[in-house]
Amino acid sequence: MKSLKELEFLRSALQSDSDIFPNEKFLEWIKQKNQDVTVKITEVPFKELRKWRVEEQTGNLVHETGKFFSIEGIQVETDFGNVNSWTQPIINQAEIGFLGIIVKKINGILHFLMQAKIEPGNINVVQLSPTLQATKSNYSQVHKGKKPLYLEYFNGENKVEVIVDQLQSEQGARFLKKRNRNIIVEISEDIELYDNFCWVTLGQIKEFIKNDNIVNMDTRTVISCIQYGSYTSSTINFHSAILGEKTINKKERALLHSILTNDVALNSIDNIISWLTGLKSHYELNVKQIPLNTVDNWVNDGTSIYHIQNKYFKVIGVNVEISNREVASWDQPIIRPAQEGVIAFITKEIQGVYHFLVQAKLEAGNFDIVELAPTVQCLTGNYRKGLNSYKVPFIDTVLNASEDQVWYSSFQSEEGGRFYHEQNRNMIVEVGDDFPVEVPTNYSWMTLNQLYDFIRFNNYLNISARSLLSAIRYKL
């Protein structure tokens, strides 16, 4: 991405409202979309799922076409972390789907074409989604439904300028090596604005992320891939003018340094790469696909697949009726969580620059053993004191943070096409001088500029880390 384009994205990120579609009008629009659509989600036994079946020999849940996805079992062996061996159900969805956003400069500011989309697992029905959000089975119309709108801007049919094009991983604890194509394309011509679509700035999207469950997971992962450029410290004064103020406060300067500078960091990029390489070389992750009916400590009672201690999640079957989808009615398995989780970054000002504490986290579905994750990521286990299987590092720092330490806190949904009413509290917590710079061997301090740099390469930052990065607003 050229520096001019990076600058345009930064300007769009700072536009927290727009004359094209003001925030107040947007919230009314989302509310109206919720009222207009008819949605009915009914839990049904597995044997009643249309076009799905439980394989007699394996117990796997599969679609009759062999497409879409399946629920299978895996056996995991690793020497990393507190638990070294387990079996579990997992979603096997080998297809690579599109998560795509069209951008266009309107009145001198980049605007993003977003969709009010409903997924069967959404908590609040309608959420702000990318222009195109489709699995390969969907956009190739295996379901015999309509072709997704605006597909021609992402599959090579229409001429566009590609700004972002990356394969990024999905939830490694739930998907087996699942990736989606995160893509942003720019157009200059006018295009038809279909019902359920709107133009908003990047800053507006970030503003909406402050609210619970309005911006979906797929939007958050796509906008996290945007680059804002790398500059030396001497150029920061120039870029501070972008903020629209002659002066910026100390915290805003430290944040701007974290976003834009590549020469003020506790750890160099080379050292971080060496740290990650060392962990991947030292530890092993062996994952073997096994029949679902041989997974230990999990039970299939015909209506759900659940852990004998009612931990982690359940697999249930649902009948879906949504009036404005390409297909109005279908059945599918879906994952229901046992409880909400916590996803949090700890941030600390080091040498005048905000650094974020990342962990190298192993999950069963990872492509390459570990990925960079938030400081705290508790999705499927119970993090509550007295109920957790093991102590979660830094969880007390996050949960006991004072109000003035919390930059950001809201509930955000996981992807509603596969996860039913799953939300996790997303947080960013600032710590002071009393928090040590020295951290455990599987943790490292990184600036935002370094994190954005790693996002450019596939499968470095996990989806939870990308989700949190998308929420960072560039004025404190």
Side-chain angles (χ1 to χ4, degrees), residues 52 63 65 67-69 93 95-99 117-120 132-149 151 155 178 180 218 325-332 415-418:
W52 292 82
H63 194 265
T65 63
K67 303 290 186 180
F68 298 102
F69 65 95
Q93 185 175 347
E95 299 178 345
I96 294 175
F98 276 119
L99 303 178
K117 188 176 178 69
I118 302 163
E119 295 288 358
L132 176 66
Q133 177 184 320
T135 67
K136 186 175 182 179
S137 290
N138 285 336
Y139 69 75
S140 58
Q141 299 172 275
V142 173
H143 50 40
K144 308 299 182 183
K146 300 175 184 177
K147 184 178 74 170
L149 295 173
L151 175 64
N155 64 4
K178 174 73 173 72
N180 273 318
D218 296 316
R325 287 290 295 261
E326 294 92 350
V327 174
S329 177
W330 71 91
D331 292 350
Q332 67 170 87
E415 200 279 309
R418 299 292 175 267

Side-chain angles (χ1 to χ4, degrees), residues 455-468:
I455 286 177
R456 291 191 297 119
F457 304 100
N458 303 337
N459 308 317
Y460 267 108
L461 266 72
N462 76 0
I463 198 164
S464 296
R466 301 196 309 274
S467 175
L468 272 178

Side-chain angles (χ1 to χ4, degrees), residues 28 42 46 104 111 186 188 317 325 378 412:
E28 292 173 357
T42 307
F46 296 137
K104 175 180 166 62
H111 282 66
E186 185 176 8
S188 56
R325 287 290 295 261
C378 303
Q412 297 297 337

Side-chain angles (χ1 to χ4, degrees), residues 99 166-171 178-180 182 206 209 217-225 343 345 371-374 377 426 451-452 454-472:
L99 303 178
Q166 301 168 5
L167 287 178
Q168 295 290 358
S169 59
E170 299 290 296
Q171 292 87 341
K178 174 73 173 72
R179 296 183 295 179
N180 273 318
N182 290 230
K206 289 179 174 290
I209 294 176
M217 169 65 81
D218 296 316
T219 294
R220 301 196 307 269
T221 180
V222 175
I223 68 171
S224 75
C225 299
I343 300 170
F345 265 129
E371 293 183 344
L372 297 176
Q377 179 183 315
N426 284 229
L451 287 166
Y452 292 137
F454 272 89
I455 286 177
R456 291 191 297 119
F457 304 100
N458 303 337
N459 308 317
Y460 267 108
L461 266 72
N462 76 0
I463 198 164
S464 296
R466 301 196 309 274
S467 175
L468 272 178
L469 288 181
S470 74
I472 296 175

